[in-house]
Amino acid sequence: MASGPLPPNDELANAVPITAAVTSQNTAGATVAAGEDVSAEVPLDVGSTVWFSYAAQTDGPVTLTTLGSSYDTTLQVFRVTDPSQPVSYGNLTELDVSDDIGQGPLPPGGTSQVNFTATAGQTYYVQAGGSLAGGAATTGDLVLNASPPVCFGRGTRIRTARGDLAIEQLAVGDLALTAAGALRPVRWIGRRTVDCAGYPAADTVLPVRIRAGAMAPGLPDADLVVSPDHCLFFDDVLIPAKHLVNDATIVREDVGSVDYWHVELDDHDVLIANGMPAESYRDCGLHRFFVGGETWGDHRDPGGNEAPLHAPHVVGGPRLHAVKAWLIGRAKHRGAPRTDDPGLQVMADGCVLTPTAIRDRRFDFDVPDGVQALRLVSRSSVPAHWIADNEDPRRLGVCIADIQLDGASLRLDDAGLTAGWHPVEPCGTKRWTDGNAVLPVGRRLTVQADWFLGYPLPDRNRGQATAPSVREAPRSLRLVARA
């Protein structure tokens, strides 16, 4: 190691836990240690590196991002290869890397990102490092997008002493009316346009649309668009919008980009947005997510802790289930269109194959000569979206118990069953598709399918799909096979 002041987490053994949305670390004076290859591509530059650890609380995708730096950046994330052995450089397996070396320093708001799928209870190690010719490097901030900023969509009307104002018309100093009836001054307003189509983890930023009247008559009083982690207020708890999606009155929107805005008061509180109680911005050090926010500074307490929550944050359990039951019941009352028909199809090089026989939900297909690609396509549904006490977030198409190709049965874990397949169920005899699954190619195909969830349909009164990711089969080819 080089002499001089070194960051405390210059070594893997001293990795700093990521416990808040933003963790900052200055790497001045750090050098490349044994097993670290951060600056290997630019050996004449001074390399520096710091380590962070992330203990996953839930299963699912995670994005780690640097928000600007004064140097060429490399960001890497690793899992422990053999958890039974001590953590060391030789016991790490790289999951993803973002190498910006050679592109120059990242500007404020510029990002270097890595993405991985976390398993609850596992600890992952993140290496941030890079090179700067002629001197040591300094990191930007490391942002954990598992806790992304929460925002309102453009046009949201915020209740103030001047009436209900579009969020883009608000000004710092305006008096916002809280759900408790207090008038509190607006401290800060943030704005950012997010490129959803190019975002590495799009599900963390694709907006949620809450239809007018989804909660109760006149609540909200107009469609309310928020980011997926934006919390709504129910009695005495805050619930992120993404946990309330039902593919009918509360839907995810598949958009190319979205303008997000937020409003901060002196403390975390509850605003009235389109008539609906919804949280204000909570200071967790993410002002730089917004245009101009890089100059705002960090106003958290000296320990860098996030601002206290206005109310408990609920993401599971009986309180969430009770709210979901109410919302699903109201969606049913309003006639949310659904069907038991999966619209099952086999696509051969993009063309629909008609079954030669259907019996007891067993579908036979003859595949023409020369076909290069087969896919099993159906509608899809998320159990957690329509079953109040279910928290399964998977998008499920049909459940396959048997696949026969040219007269031979395929194992459900066959290597040819790749994209579009969920893991084999614990029973070992069933495997769900996600609604668009790759199949091995053969001349004769038989699939034994099952389904029970029901599927959302387009809301024809609105002229758009209630769940944009749901695929609808052509009317002439809808199939329902009864046992």
Side-chain angles (χ1 to χ4, degrees):
M1 301 294 292
S3 61
L6 300 176
N9 59 328
D10 181 61
E11 298 284 5
L12 174 61
N14 298 323
V16 172
I18 298 172
T19 56
V22 176
T23 301
S24 300
Q25 177 66 57
N26 186 294
T27 64
T31 60
V32 177
E36 301 173 354
D37 59 1
V38 176
S39 64
E41 297 175 50
V42 193
L44 298 180
D45 292 348
V46 175
S48 63
T49 180
V50 290
W51 285 92
F52 301 89
S53 63
Y54 169 58
Q57 301 298 310
T58 59
D59 295 339
V62 173
T63 297
L64 296 172
T65 310
T66 54
L67 286 185
S69 69
S70 60
Y71 69 105
D72 287 357
T73 309
T74 294
L75 196 62
Q76 295 167 284
V77 60
F78 303 85
R79 66 173 175 84
V80 178
T81 308
D82 184 354
S84 67
Q85 299 298 314
V87 177
S88 66
Y89 298 122
N91 190 24
L92 295 179
T93 298
E94 183 180 277
L95 298 178
D96 194 20
V97 60
S98 177
D99 186 354
D100 296 317
I101 287 180
Q103 297 182 22
L106 291 172
T111 60
S112 179
Q113 294 180 330
V114 288
N115 304 280
F116 63 102
T117 300
T119 300
Q122 299 298 309
T123 297
Y124 300 86
Y125 290 86
V126 182
Q127 185 186 59
S131 299
L132 178 65
T138 302
T139 65
D141 288 336
L142 186 66
V143 178
L144 176 61
N145 272 359
S147 301
V150 293
C151 317
F152 294 106
R154 175 182 285 274
T156 300
R157 291 178 293 105
I158 304 297
R159 191 154 297 166
T160 74
R162 297 194 289 139
D164 287 1
L165 301 178
I167 196 167
E168 55 268 30
Q169 296 174 346
L170 282 179
V172 171
D174 272 334
L175 296 177
L177 182 68
T178 69
L183 288 171
R184 303 190 62 193
V186 173
R187 175 191 192 191
W188 173 80
I189 300 170
R191 174 184 64 84
R192 180 179 178 180
T193 299
V194 177
D195 176 12
C196 302
Y199 207 81
D203 281 350
T204 67
V205 293
L206 284 174
V208 174
R209 180 177 293 273
I210 302 161
R211 305 285 191 200
M215 308 292 176
L219 194 67
D221 56 22
D223 285 9
L224 176 63
V225 175
V226 296
S227 61
D229 281 87
H230 196 121
C231 287
L232 305 176
F233 186 64
F234 295 89
D235 295 328
D236 58 354
V237 297
L238 292 163
I239 302 178
K242 66 184 180 183
H243 293 294
L244 304 175
V245 170
N246 57 29
D247 292 335
T249 56
I250 305 176
V251 301
R252 295 296 289 264
E253 297 214 304
D254 191 4
V255 297
S257 65
V258 59
D259 284 345
Y260 277 141
W261 294 71
H262 222 323
V263 178
E264 183 177 11
L265 308 180
D266 285 333
D267 300 300
H268 190 226
D269 211 321
V270 177
L271 302 167
I272 305 299
N274 289 8
M276 180 74 197
E279 68 175 323
S280 67
Y281 178 78
R282 177 182 174 224
D283 190 355
C284 52
L286 288 179
H287 290 90
R288 265 173 284 187
F289 179 86
F290 301 91
V291 173
E294 62 270 11
T295 61
W296 175 251
D298 194 335
H299 297 268
R300 293 173 293 169
D301 65 35
N305 297 311
E306 298 178 355
L309 283 165
H310 176 79
H313 197 235
V314 171
V315 295
R319 291 300 301 273
L320 173 63
H321 301 163
V323 172
K324 285 174 57 182
W326 168 261
L327 297 175
I328 293 169
R330 179 154 177 78
K332 292 177 179 178
H333 173 73
R334 298 179 72 188
R338 291 180 70 88
T339 181
D340 292 329
D341 177 4
L344 185 66
Q345 301 173 348
V346 168
M347 305 294 292
D349 292 341
C351 298
V352 177
L353 296 184
T354 302
T356 57
I358 305 174
R359 58 192 184 284
D360 298 331
R361 298 193 176 187
R362 193 173 185 86
F363 297 75
D364 295 334
F365 299 89
D366 286 339
V367 181
D369 287 334
V371 166
Q372 300 296 308
L374 290 177
R375 302 188 77 92
L376 186 63
V377 178
S378 70
R379 295 187 176 94
S380 61
S381 184
V382 177
H385 290 180
W386 203 245
I387 304 172
D389 60 356
N390 190 301
E391 297 182 19
D392 184 352
R394 296 178 300 167
R395 181 159 291 281
L396 303 180
V398 291
C399 187
I400 301 301
D402 184 38
I403 302 174
Q404 293 191 11
L405 197 64
D406 296 331
S409 290
L410 291 181
R411 291 172 55 95
L412 291 180
D413 60 357
D414 186 272
L417 304 179
T418 54
W421 292 91
H422 292 289
V424 177
E425 294 294 296
C427 64
T429 60
K430 297 179 180 179
R431 190 172 184 183
W432 283 92
T433 74
D434 67 1
N436 190 6
V438 169
L439 290 168
V441 175
R443 289 295 311 281
R444 290 181 294 118
L445 172 68
T446 298
V447 293
Q448 179 72 52
D450 200 0
W451 53 90
F452 61 87
L453 290 171
Y455 304 91
L457 288 174
D459 187 343
R460 301 195 183 282
N461 292 327
R462 293 184 176 271
Q464 60 183 350
T466 58
S469 56
V470 174
R471 306 166 187 85
E472 184 177 10
R475 289 178 178 275
S476 61
L477 293 172
R478 286 188 185 169
L479 304 170
V480 177
R482 301 295 183 190

